[in-house]
Amino acid sequence: MSLISDAVAGAIQPAAHTSSPASTATASDFDMFLKMLTAQIRNQDPLEPMESADYAVQLATFSGVEQQVKTNDLLAALATGSGAGGLADIAGWVGREARAPMPAWFDGAPVPLGFETRPGAEAGEIVVSDAQDVEVARHAVAAGAQDLDWAGTTAEGRPLPPGAYRFEIVSLAAGEEIGRDTIETYGRVREVRLGPDGPVLVAEAGVEVAASAVTALREAG
């Protein structure tokens, strides 16, 4: 009986595996399978021994599972490579200006804003928040689509210091807020990184935004 066990064990020694979690789990499962199969051979009824075909079926089943794990590892590697390829595709954005719902860098020059209130709005307000997400200004505007240049001041006209500022357009009807939307602004792309969900752009003052959120791209002025 030990000759049969040794023969089976020798025929199904686990192949070399990488150190990835999936491969490590596969090796562990293979060892467990081997122990169970050896125990099954040793404890089988000598009057009704297991057919060699049954061994082959069990081995084929496990082999199929192992191949599936290897396929999953390969697909994961391909996905990682695809992400790196996407990073290379947008590397040319560095130095250009991207528009996205992100804070804008104010350095003393007016910040151009384009926005539109929601349908049904009778008026609007531009709410300005600083890098600590503290509201620093609020400006009344008319309803509808429009463009204006923010001069970097409070509602009372006091100048604000240079820094990153976030803009929202608040839609009002009958004096009540009916919606609030982030205003898209342009920012010069300083760096492109590969984040967990895809490429990420880094603009002035470390402002980060997902590449998928970019709605326009232009040459830096």
Side-chain angles (χ1 to χ4, degrees), residues 86-169:
L87 184 65
D89 291 340
I90 65 173
W93 293 12
V94 175
R96 306 180 73 182
E97 292 184 339
R99 187 181 71 191
M102 63 181 178
W105 178 254
F106 172 66
D107 57 4
V111 177
L113 303 175
F115 55 88
E116 182 177 6
T117 55
R118 294 191 181 185
E122 300 171 352
E125 287 182 332
I126 294 178
V127 177
V128 186
S129 302
D130 62 15
Q132 286 71 45
D133 205 28
V134 175
E135 183 178 322
V136 295
R138 185 178 288 253
H139 305 277
V141 295
Q146 54 194 294
D147 299 300
L148 62 80
D149 291 334
W150 181 66
T153 62
T154 65
E156 295 76 24
R158 294 193 301 271
L160 290 167
Y165 292 90
R166 181 171 58 88
F167 303 89
E168 294 177 299
I169 176 63

Side-chain angles (χ1 to χ4, degrees), residues 32 41 49 52 57 69 93 100 104 139 149 161 164-165 195 206 208 212 217:
M32 179 61 68
I41 294 173
S52 59
V57 170
V69 172
W93 293 12
H139 305 277
D149 291 334
Y165 292 90
E208 296 187 3
S212 58
L217 195 67

Side-chain angles (χ1 to χ4, degrees), residues 188-207:
R188 182 172 297 186
V189 180
R190 302 297 188 186
E191 182 183 351
V192 178
R193 298 175 182 169
L194 185 60
D197 299 320
V200 175
L201 308 182
V202 182
E204 287 93 344
V207 173

Side-chain angles (χ1 to χ4, degrees), residues 122-123 125 170-178:
E122 300 171 352
E125 287 182 332
V170 177
S171 299
L172 303 171
E176 299 293 331
E177 180 177 328
I178 62 172

Side-chain angles (χ1 to χ4, degrees), residues 8-56:
V8 173
I12 54 177
Q13 287 297 319
H17 293 279
T18 65
S19 59
S20 67
S23 298
T24 301
T26 299
S28 177
D29 290 344
F30 199 104
D31 290 339
M32 179 61 68
F33 170 79
L34 190 59
K35 292 177 181 179
M36 292 178 63
L37 184 59
T38 302
Q40 187 177 19
I41 294 173
R42 288 174 176 172
N43 294 283
Q44 65 180 327
D45 187 347
L47 299 179
E48 297 182 1
M50 181 181 292
E51 296 292 336
S52 59
D54 294 333
Y55 294 132

